């Protein structure tokens, strides 16, 4: 079983009966072939253990930091082999590999003159009307109740100048929401077709029907990421006489185009959300940018009057004051979760719901 650095080092100390089971430099020759990996390893992130003390084949989770400052967790074997399915072979950092997407460079088109409406003519466009020499967008607007001025007013300020010269409907622009939600990207055709702010569109499917801070059953909630979440939910249900059928909480501000968040377990009677976090198969879950997303989700829940208890499986560290560090779903972990609930809402109050 893969362990974090502290657990792995303690087990090696016990098995070898030595305070320092591997001397500094013991595996220097093995790591010299991987200078980029050596540069990404920092002892201060791994309990003071240096890379030359870790066997290259050790089954241990190590924290790395790339030159761009991205932090992620992976085993030495993963960093040495760099599987192409999850990391680009030309990159040592998974975050950098996601950003290293080739950009298509469009060559400038020759000047084809102007339509009678004053907008540039596009030689690539096959739509034409021999009786109407206006650009496609002007002709498309005739089939709606919207004028170009009204369309420009919907765009974000930085997109309005370019949109005023637009001659088609396939280009993406930044648009602003009338309800104050964050700006969003969409093509002109989608705006003319009525598909506008994604936050408003998603909220109409459920979140708009409840108040901020209210739990409800959402049709947008995803399925559990693994079998551990349902198992934890089953064990909590066996200990608490509460309704665990709801799966969403309405929040005040958007979270990834949603006015709702989906905790793994929603306890409306206690107004507590329980999350189960692991680093996943490839060591990328709930670390780096995804950890920042977890913190933002927790802030939104607390702003709505809820509290969060996260079961953080090693090597993940606690994020909040009530988080529980564990290695899996066990009855002992459930008892620690119940103790955290008692610390949040009061032991007598929680005891009233014990089954």
């Amino acid at each position: 079983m893969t362990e974090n650095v502290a657990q792995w080092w303690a087990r090696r100390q016990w098995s070898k009966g030595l305070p320092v089971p591997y001397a500094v430099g013991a595996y220097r020759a093995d790591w010299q072939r991987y200078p980029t990996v050596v540069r990404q390893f920092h002892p201060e992130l791994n309990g003071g253990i240096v890379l030359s003390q870790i066997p290259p084949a050790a089954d241990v989770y190590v924290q790395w930091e790339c030159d761009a400052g991205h932090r992620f967790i992976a085993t030495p074997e993963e960093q040495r082999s760099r599987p192409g399915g999850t990391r680009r072979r030309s990159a040592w950092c998974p975050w950098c590999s996601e950003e290293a997407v080739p950009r298509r460079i469009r060559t400038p088109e020759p000047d084809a003159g102007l339509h009678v409406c004053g907008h540039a003519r596009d030689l690539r466009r096959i739509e034409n009307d021999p009786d109407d020499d206006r650009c496609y967008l002007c002709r498309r607007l005739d089939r709606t109740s919207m004028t170009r001025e009204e369309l420009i007013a919907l765009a974000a300020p930085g997109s309005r100048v370019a949109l005023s010269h637009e001659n088609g409907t396939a280009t993406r622009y930044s648009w602003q929401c009338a309800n104050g939600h964050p700006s969003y990207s969409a093509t002109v055709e989608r705006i003319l077709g009525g598909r506008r702010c994604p936050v408003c569109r998603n909220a109409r499917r459920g979140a708009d029907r409840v108040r901020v801070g209210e739990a409800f059953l959402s049709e947008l909630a995803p399925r559990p990421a693994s079998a551990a979440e349902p198992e934890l939910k089953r064990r909590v249900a066996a200990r608490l006489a509460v309704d665990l059928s709801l799966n969403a909480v309405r929040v005040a501000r958007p979270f990834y185009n949603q006015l709702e968040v989906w905790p793994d377990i929603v306890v409306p009677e206690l107004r507590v959300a329980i999350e189960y976090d692991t680093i996943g198969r490839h060591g990328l879950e709930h670390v780096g940018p995804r950890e920042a997303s977890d913190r933002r989700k927790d802030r939104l829940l607390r702003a709505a009057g809820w509290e969060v208890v996260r079961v953080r499986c090693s090597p993940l560290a606690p994020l909040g004051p009530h988080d529980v560090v564990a290695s899996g779903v066990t009855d002992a972990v459930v008892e620690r979760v119940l103790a955290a609930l008692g610390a949040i809402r009061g032991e007598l109050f929680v005891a009233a719901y014990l089954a």
Side-chain angles (χ1 to χ4, degrees):
M1 177 179 177
T2 310
E3 304 167 301
N4 62 26
V5 170
Q7 292 174 330
W8 172 80
W9 190 255
R11 185 167 59 82
R12 288 303 184 185
Q13 288 175 323
W14 176 81
S15 63
K16 291 181 175 294
L18 297 172
V20 181
Y22 300 110
V24 175
Y27 297 97
R28 181 177 290 114
D30 297 299
W31 287 110
Q32 284 178 345
R33 295 179 296 159
Y34 305 96
T36 307
V37 175
V38 173
R39 191 169 64 248
Q40 289 186 338
F41 185 90
H42 300 276
E44 63 272 16
L45 301 179
N46 295 281
I49 301 171
V50 300
L51 186 58
S52 62
Q53 293 178 284
I54 301 177
D59 193 16
V60 55
Y61 285 126
V62 177
Q63 189 166 176
W64 313 83
E65 183 177 277
C66 74
D67 295 338
H70 302 135
R71 293 184 180 182
F72 57 98
I73 294 174
T75 65
E77 177 63 25
E78 288 174 332
Q79 280 301 86
R80 289 187 301 115
S81 60
R82 296 174 290 163
T86 54
R87 294 181 175 87
R88 285 168 50 93
R89 296 188 182 273
S90 60
W92 294 90
C93 169
W95 309 119
C96 291
S97 68
E98 290 182 5
E99 297 172 359
V101 179
R103 306 290 182 180
R104 190 179 73 170
I105 301 176
R106 296 182 59 177
T107 57
E109 297 293 332
D111 185 8
L114 301 176
H115 289 281
V116 296
C117 58
H119 301 116
R121 192 182 301 275
D122 191 350
L123 294 177
R124 298 167 300 172
R125 186 170 296 282
I126 62 175
E127 299 94 344
N128 61 78
D129 186 346
D131 299 325
D132 191 347
D133 192 39
R134 294 178 301 163
C135 72
Y136 179 75
L137 178 55
C138 287
R139 289 185 279 122
R140 175 69 175 85
L141 286 168
D142 287 347
R143 303 202 301 268
T144 70
S145 60
M146 185 183 301
T147 64
R148 185 180 284 260
E149 289 72 22
E150 292 172 335
L151 178 66
I152 294 173
L154 294 176
S159 298
R160 291 175 182 173
V161 173
L163 184 58
S164 65
H165 299 288
E166 179 60 55
N167 59 6
T169 61
T171 306
R172 300 185 72 89
Y173 289 97
S174 182
W175 308 87
Q176 57 187 2
C177 174
N179 294 325
H181 297 143
S183 60
Y184 58 97
S185 176
T187 63
V188 176
E189 184 61 42
R190 289 177 69 90
I191 298 300
L192 296 178
R195 293 179 62 84
R196 299 182 184 174
C197 173
V199 177
C200 295
R201 190 167 65 247
N202 292 330
R204 286 194 291 269
R205 299 177 64 179
D208 275 350
R209 295 193 288 268
V210 297
R211 299 185 302 273
V212 173
E214 185 175 341
F216 64 102
L217 186 63
S218 173
E219 63 181 69
L220 300 175
R223 294 179 178 273
S226 68
E229 288 90 342
E231 175 62 17
L232 178 61
K233 188 174 184 177
R234 183 190 68 80
R235 295 186 184 228
V236 171
R239 297 286 285 112
L240 289 176
V242 293
D243 180 16
L244 301 182
S245 62
L246 306 182
N247 58 6
V249 178
R250 172 72 151 87
V251 292
R253 292 185 296 171
F255 182 71
Y256 293 106
N257 292 335
Q258 305 285 348
L259 285 175
E260 59 188 78
V261 295
W262 308 306
D264 294 329
I265 303 175
V266 177
V267 188
E269 290 85 352
L270 304 177
R271 293 179 73 83
V272 174
I274 303 175
E275 300 276 15
Y276 184 81
D277 300 339
T278 69
I279 61 173
R281 178 180 301 175
H282 304 299
L284 304 179
E285 300 298 328
H286 301 285
V287 296
R290 291 184 173 92
E291 179 180 312
S293 176
D294 289 339
R295 293 182 184 275
R296 179 166 165 251
K297 181 179 180 181
D298 293 354
R299 289 195 298 269
L300 289 173
L301 282 167
R302 292 186 176 107
W306 285 62
E307 190 50 74
V308 182
V309 175
R310 288 186 174 272
V311 178
R312 304 274 290 177
C313 291
S314 58
L316 297 174
L319 296 183
H322 306 291
D323 291 354
V324 174
V325 177
S327 58
V329 179
T330 63
D331 290 337
V333 170
V334 173
E335 294 301 321
R336 292 167 62 191
V337 170
L338 295 179
L341 297 179
I344 295 170
R345 300 303 181 206
E347 294 182 1
L348 292 178
F349 188 76
V350 174
Y353 290 98
L354 292 178

